[in-house]
Amino acid sequence: MRILISNDDGYLSPGLYLLAESVKDLGEVVIASTEFPRSATGREITFNRPLRFVRKRWLNWHVYVTDGTPIDTLHLVVEILKFRPDLVLSGVNVGDNLSLQHIFYSGTVAIAIEAALMGIPAIAFSSDVESFDDFEQESFKKTCVSIARKIAEYVISRKLPNDVDVLSVNIPVRYRNCIHVAKATKIRWEASYKKGVDPRGRDYYWLAGIRSVAEPGSDVSLFEEGCVTITPLKIDLNVSKETLEKLRDLEEILKTS
Amino acid sequence: MRILISNDDGYLSPGLYLLAESVKDLGEVVIASTEFPRSATGREITFNRPLRFVRKRWLNWHVYVTDGTPIDTLHLVVEILKFRPDLVLSGVNVGDNLSLQHIFYSGTVAIAIEAALMGIPAIAFSSDVESFDDFEQESFKKTCVSIARKIAEYVISRKLPNDVDVLSVNIPVRYRNCIHVAKATKIRWEASYKKGVDPRGRDYYWLAGIRSVAEPGSDVSLFEEGCVTITPLKIDLNVSKETLEKLRDLEEILKTS
């Protein structure tokens, strides 16, 4: 069992090593990440410049580090280390990734998505911690390690159902001992802007009033109650064959003109 | 009919105005974009600094311009202009967006995804043009305008099927007069790195050998034959209720420990 641990917060994040700790005896474990937090560039791949990829030591672990993006990290591990993982664990991310809106933005989930497209099962872990310091709380550490281990064991021993590619797990800092498999709500927040005038007299708009509109029973509402949420994802945006056929008339309309 | 035209290449891209041209008489049209190309930050939203949002004139069109990201643009249009579109057109992007791998990366599709999450139908247009100059070819311009118009008319008059949220359209520069509704292939390329040593004696890795592994009949293979491809997408990564239930035993396993 070859397990890759990665994240989008960079190799300095203690969240990475909580995952490593949780599965260290379950197989051959490689840890690899980026030099710096790269949440903003989760899905990018670097074509137009060379990349570094070196082994470092951090928090008593060996870790491979690139100056590229999280997706570069995954490809470098497979191609340069010749380590094709059987399982990818991503996180634990600083910041939760609840709702489809966040899942589509998330670099942490992006690694899992890329792994899934390569046919590798993946689990993304996120939490509402606000900084690396927050990972220092002993009880929270224990929760993360224990939950990550059990989910990894489950995926290894039972395999994911056929139409599940990724599990996105969110662990609340204020964990109240409840765990739910839950679907991702669609929208987490709606935009609202505060208008202002800068010292030089020009208008500006500052995003405010981000409000949650959680569906009951969804990941967002369960997480807000203090529960760990496990959201299974299928990494396919294609529609069914039947639906595809319904749009065939579009071909005719476009051709005959 | 309120139509928003946007992109992730910035307001200077002629691709934006091809879409505007194609639908200008179909309803109330607003054009809005970013100051600069923001492909890399397609999915980001700006929380921690104020944004500008001003009206400019470019290529004889009025266009709203922000110093934020493509997703910021969409939210600014809705919240500041109080213009909630009935339809969003995104593109025409410099660079095609074929395969799920590209679709997940693409800023152009990200705008359409965000619109879809807000309940607004959206069409993303991309092409294998390599720079803004390539938009100047008269026959290519005509193709873009004509295809965008007909697809927009179709979506307006017939509505998209229930389980389609986004159409991702790819228009080849060497268009051979064929049009296909096609699913997105999973993977477009596989990584391969060229190792080198820099002038200071340190190793580097440069991404090379990007090779296409197109499924026959998929978007990639049809596009490579010179066809316009129309790929319907459902913006939902959630699995079915039945599959969700299959994972319920995970709750018990995690609780009893």
Side-chain angles (χ1 to χ4, degrees):
Chain A
M1 180 54 50
R2 301 174 136 208
I3 304 172
L4 171 65
I5 316 280
S6 197
N7 72 357
D8 76 337
D9 286 327
Y11 83 100
L12 298 173
S13 172
L16 194 60
Y17 306 97
L18 292 182
L19 293 186
E21 181 64 36
S22 74
V23 297
K24 64 181 175 188
D25 57 336
L26 293 181
E28 198 184 344
V29 173
V30 164
I31 314 172
S33 182
T34 56
E35 246 179 307
F36 304 109
R38 297 296 298 261
S39 326
T41 56
R43 278 184 175 74
E44 251 189 298
I45 180 146
T46 309
F47 292 107
N48 51 5
R49 64 174 178 86
L51 295 172
R52 305 292 180 183
F53 192 54
V54 296
R55 199 166 86 141
K56 293 184 188 255
R57 216 177 152 77
W58 186 249
L59 300 179
N60 285 321
W61 294 90
H62 286 295
V63 52
Y64 290 88
V65 179
T66 177
D67 57 348
T69 68
I71 297 293
D72 292 332
T73 310
L74 175 58
H75 290 297
L76 286 163
V77 166
V78 173
E79 296 299 317
I80 304 303
L81 302 185
K82 305 291 176 209
F83 184 88
R84 190 182 158 90
D86 304 304
L87 177 65
V88 172
L89 307 188
S90 172
V92 178
N93 190 59
V94 176
D96 54 74
N97 282 305
L98 300 158
S99 84
L100 286 179
Q101 207 177 28
H102 277 243
I103 284 168
F104 276 111
Y105 293 137
S106 162
T108 307
V109 184
I111 298 165
I113 289 176
E114 187 76 5
L117 291 175
M118 295 164 75
I120 304 166
I123 316 171
F125 295 89
S126 313
S127 176
D128 55 345
V129 289
E130 290 181 1
S131 72
F132 292 170
D133 303 355
D134 294 347
F135 284 117
E136 294 307 306
Q137 302 164 49
E138 279 307 322
S139 70
F140 177 66
K141 265 186 183 172
K142 269 187 200 156
T143 302
C144 286
V145 170
S146 148
I147 283 170
R149 181 179 180 92
K150 278 172 210 149
I151 298 178
E153 278 179 336
Y154 178 95
V155 172
I156 291 168
S157 65
R158 309 205 187 182
K159 305 252 182 280
L160 288 171
N162 269 340
D163 43 351
V164 177
D165 301 305
V166 165
L167 296 181
S168 172
V169 179
N170 283 279
I171 304 171
V173 175
R174 294 178 191 189
Y175 173 53
R176 292 196 184 169
N177 220 24
C178 50
I179 292 154
H180 289 286
V181 176
K183 66 176 281 198
T185 194
K186 221 167 176 181
I187 285 275
R188 178 92 188 267
W189 49 264
E190 285 175 36
S192 130
Y193 290 88
K194 187 165 177 162
K195 187 176 169 178
V197 179
D198 78 9
R200 299 172 66 192
R202 292 166 63 204
D203 289 344
Y204 67 78
Y205 305 92
W206 207 318
L207 194 62
I210 288 149
R211 86 189 149 76
S212 163
V213 283
E215 294 164 28
S218 72
D219 59 344
V220 171
S221 35
L222 291 164
F223 187 86
E224 284 173 354
E225 290 166 18
C227 304
V228 167
T229 61
I230 304 170
T231 302
L233 302 174
K234 181 165 175 48
I235 307 308
D236 194 352
L237 301 172
N238 280 307
V239 302
S240 68
K241 270 186 193 169
E242 295 70 38
T243 302
L244 202 85
E245 288 308 319
K246 278 186 203 159
L247 287 162
R248 287 271 178 232
D249 57 348
L250 195 44
E251 294 176 354
E252 291 313 309
I253 290 166
L254 287 160
K255 268 169 198 159
T256 56
S257 51
Chain B
M1 180 54 49
R2 300 173 137 208
I3 304 172
L4 171 64
I5 316 281
S6 198
N7 71 357
D8 76 336
D9 287 327
Y11 83 101
L12 299 173
S13 172
L16 194 60
Y17 307 97
L18 292 181
L19 293 186
E21 181 64 36
S22 75
V23 297
K24 64 182 177 188
D25 58 336
L26 294 182
E28 198 183 343
V29 173
V30 164
I31 314 171
S33 182
T34 56
E35 246 179 307
F36 304 109
R38 297 297 297 261
S39 323
T41 56
R43 279 184 174 74
E44 251 189 299
I45 180 148
T46 309
F47 292 107
N48 51 3
R49 64 174 179 86
L51 295 172
R52 305 293 179 182
F53 192 54
V54 296
R55 198 165 88 141
K56 291 184 189 258
R57 216 176 153 76
W58 185 248
L59 300 178
N60 285 319
W61 295 91
H62 287 294
V63 53
Y64 290 87
V65 179
T66 177
D67 57 348
T69 68
I71 297 293
D72 291 334
T73 310
L74 175 58
H75 290 295
L76 285 163
V77 166
V78 173
E79 296 300 317
I80 304 304
L81 301 185
K82 305 291 177 211
F83 184 88
R84 189 181 159 89
D86 304 303
L87 177 65
V88 172
L89 306 189
S90 172
V92 178
N93 190 59
V94 175
D96 54 73
N97 282 305
L98 300 157
S99 84
L100 286 178
Q101 207 178 27
H102 277 243
I103 285 168
F104 276 111
Y105 293 136
S106 162
T108 307
V109 184
I111 298 164
I113 288 176
E114 186 76 6
L117 291 174
M118 294 164 76
I120 304 166
I123 317 171
F125 294 89
S126 313
S127 176
D128 55 345
V129 290
E130 291 181 358
S131 72
F132 291 172
D133 303 354
D134 293 347
F135 284 118
E136 294 307 306
Q137 302 164 50
E138 278 307 321
S139 69
F140 177 66
K141 264 187 182 171
K142 269 187 199 156
T143 303
C144 285
V145 170
S146 149
I147 283 171
R149 179 177 181 96
K150 279 172 210 149
I151 299 178
E153 277 178 337
Y154 178 95
V155 172
I156 291 168
S157 65
R158 309 205 188 180
K159 305 250 183 280
L160 288 172
N162 269 339
D163 43 353
V164 177
D165 302 306
V166 165
L167 296 181
S168 173
V169 179
N170 283 279
I171 305 171
V173 175
R174 293 176 191 189
Y175 172 53
R176 291 194 184 170
N177 219 26
C178 51
I179 292 154
H180 289 286
V181 175
K183 66 177 281 200
T185 194
K186 221 167 176 183
I187 285 275
R188 178 89 187 271
W189 48 265
E190 286 176 36
S192 131
Y193 290 88
K194 189 167 175 160
K195 187 176 168 178
V197 179
D198 77 10
R200 298 173 65 192
R202 292 167 62 205
D203 289 345
Y204 67 78
Y205 306 93
W206 207 318
L207 194 62
I210 288 148
R211 87 191 148 77
S212 163
V213 283
E215 294 164 29
S218 72
D219 58 345
V220 171
S221 36
L222 291 165
F223 186 86
E224 284 172 355
E225 291 167 16
C227 304
V228 166
T229 61
I230 303 170
T231 301
L233 302 174
K234 179 163 175 51
I235 307 308
D236 195 351
L237 300 172
N238 281 306
V239 302
S240 69
K241 269 187 194 169
E242 295 69 38
T243 302
L244 203 85
E245 288 308 320
K246 279 187 205 159
L247 287 162
R248 285 271 177 233
D249 57 348
L250 195 44
E251 294 177 354
E252 289 315 307
I253 290 167
L254 286 160
K255 267 169 199 160
T256 55
S257 50

